[in-house]
Amino acid sequence: MEAGVGLALQSRAAGFGSGRRRRATYGGESGARTVSLRASDQVGSPAAVRARVAKPVVPLRAKKSSGGGHENLHNSVDDALLLKRKSEEVLFQLNGRCIYLVGMMGSGKSTVGKILAEVLGYSFFDSDKLVEQAVGMPSVAQIFKVHSEAFFRDNESSVLRDLSSMRRLVVATGGGAVIRPVNWKNMKKGLSVWLDVPLEALARRIAKVGTASRPLLDQPSGDPYTMAFSKLSTLAEQRGDAYANADVRVSLEEIASKLGHDDVSKLTPIDIALESLHKIESFVVEDTAVADPQTESQAQRIHTL
């Protein structure tokens, strides 16, 4: 039970919201050049990258809601235990493959990714943060402003190429990483998961926290929600087919429906992480069946146990 509490919900931050059962987060250098994080020279290993540029995954902690008392805490621990048990099953089937989370900006990739990394015993990386470190700038917005989107994309592709040579990583990619085929070539060395969030929910969240850190959404004036929704709709049209290339699609609307919620804002990151693991497991079992029917039979027997 103590381990379950340790894996329960993390402390609040800006995100999609909280359910009634439990509280949770979601979630000028003109001479600069593209900087490589090639594993063979600068990176070396996932641990080395993490030591240089990535913050460690903060352990998840149960939070006792003032309105829910022991029942909320009990449900949080139960959910955490379910997540941990499912991760143990999926870990065996992944066999060290990396997980790449894709989706629109604000879809919770980093928050869900940190949870998946913790329960799987993987290292977590945010590709935007790695690009910022490689370029030597504090934000993606500044990179866009001082250089260009194309410059950022070149560095993003370099980061994803280098990470693809490693194992046992969960990587939260930038919202536009899917537009370049070369990025898919590298992400397909692992397993890709699309967090599919309704545009209305994304616009509400982004309007609440602001768009200053999101250069493709930042607008000088106008109603924040309306402007965010309009731009997100355009991006979704441009990228929809690209997101659909992911091996696994995790629909927040489907999760909410299964849990009896009328709004995806009532979902917690653990709800989404648990569904992601279920979808990953289904994909891996099916993929294994195509490659080796005998291996699939062994995996099914283990799952039954």
Side-chain angles (χ1 to χ4, degrees):
M1 185 63 71
E2 183 178 350
V5 173
L7 289 165
L9 304 178
Q10 60 186 356
S11 57
R12 289 195 192 98
F16 279 102
S18 55
R20 296 192 317 184
R21 292 186 301 144
R22 50 202 183 275
R23 307 291 297 180
T25 65
Y26 223 85
E29 301 173 39
S30 58
R33 60 185 176 82
T34 299
V35 180
S36 173
L37 293 177
R38 190 175 302 281
S40 60
D41 43 40
Q42 296 184 358
V43 176
S45 69
V49 177
R50 180 169 57 187
R52 292 176 57 239
V53 299
K55 295 180 180 179
V57 176
V58 178
L60 306 179
R61 293 287 181 260
K63 286 205 63 149
K64 184 175 178 180
S65 172
S66 57
H70 294 293
E71 182 180 355
N72 280 350
L73 181 60
H74 177 73
N75 286 330
S76 296
V77 173
D78 283 349
D79 289 345
L81 288 173
L82 284 173
L83 184 68
K84 184 59 179 175
R85 288 168 185 162
K86 177 54 63 178
S87 71
E88 290 169 352
E89 298 170 4
V90 173
L91 181 61
F92 171 80
Q93 296 162 340
L94 279 172
N95 193 30
R97 275 188 282 184
C98 295
I99 296 173
Y100 297 89
L101 297 176
V102 303
M104 293 286 281
M105 59 189 79
S107 59
K109 300 184 294 290
S110 292
T111 301
V112 173
K114 290 175 183 177
I115 294 174
L116 292 175
E118 183 182 351
V119 297
L120 290 169
Y122 276 29
S123 297
F124 171 79
F125 297 103
D126 181 320
S127 66
D128 283 354
K129 298 299 183 185
L130 292 176
V131 172
E132 292 166 5
Q133 175 71 19
V135 174
M137 289 188 145
S139 69
V140 173
Q142 187 174 356
I143 296 172
F144 271 55
K145 183 178 180 179
V146 174
H147 300 289
S148 65
E149 180 178 358
F151 176 84
F152 171 81
R153 298 296 173 203
D154 288 343
N155 280 275
E156 179 179 57
S157 294
S158 294
V159 164
L160 291 174
R161 179 197 64 217
D162 296 336
L163 292 175
S164 73
S165 67
M166 304 176 192
R167 291 170 62 80
R168 298 177 64 85
L169 306 180
V170 175
V171 180
T173 67
V178 297
I179 64 178
R180 287 194 171 186
V182 66
N183 294 341
W184 280 111
K185 177 182 177 182
N186 288 316
M187 290 191 290
K188 287 296 183 179
K189 295 176 183 177
L191 190 148
S192 52
V193 178
W194 172 24
L195 299 186
D196 186 9
V197 184
L199 295 183
E200 295 86 354
L202 287 176
R204 284 197 302 269
R205 178 177 187 257
I206 290 170
K208 182 178 180 180
V209 302
T211 60
S213 64
R214 305 181 187 280
L216 293 181
L217 292 183
D218 199 24
Q219 300 290 338
S221 62
D223 174 65
Y225 172 83
T226 302
M227 300 298 289
F229 182 80
S230 175
K231 185 60 177 178
L232 285 168
S233 298
T234 300
L235 290 173
E237 267 187 56
Q238 297 170 349
R239 300 173 179 175
D241 291 341
Y243 288 132
N245 284 325
D247 299 312
V248 170
R249 172 177 173 261
V250 177
S251 166
L252 269 65
E253 285 185 319
E254 290 179 4
I255 303 172
S257 178
K258 286 197 294 187
L259 296 179
H261 297 317
D262 58 2
D263 192 329
V264 299
S265 66
K266 296 179 180 178
L267 296 175
T268 69
I270 282 189
D271 291 330
I272 301 164
L274 184 58
E275 180 70 8
S276 299
L277 288 176
H278 279 289
K279 291 293 184 72
I280 289 170
E281 181 181 43
S282 296
F283 172 80
V284 172
V285 169
E286 183 178 342
D287 190 50
T288 302
V290 174
D292 187 349
Q294 184 177 358
T295 303
E296 180 211 14
S297 178
Q298 293 173 346
Q300 287 178 335
R301 284 199 300 272
I302 292 171
H303 177 65
T304 302
L305 294 175

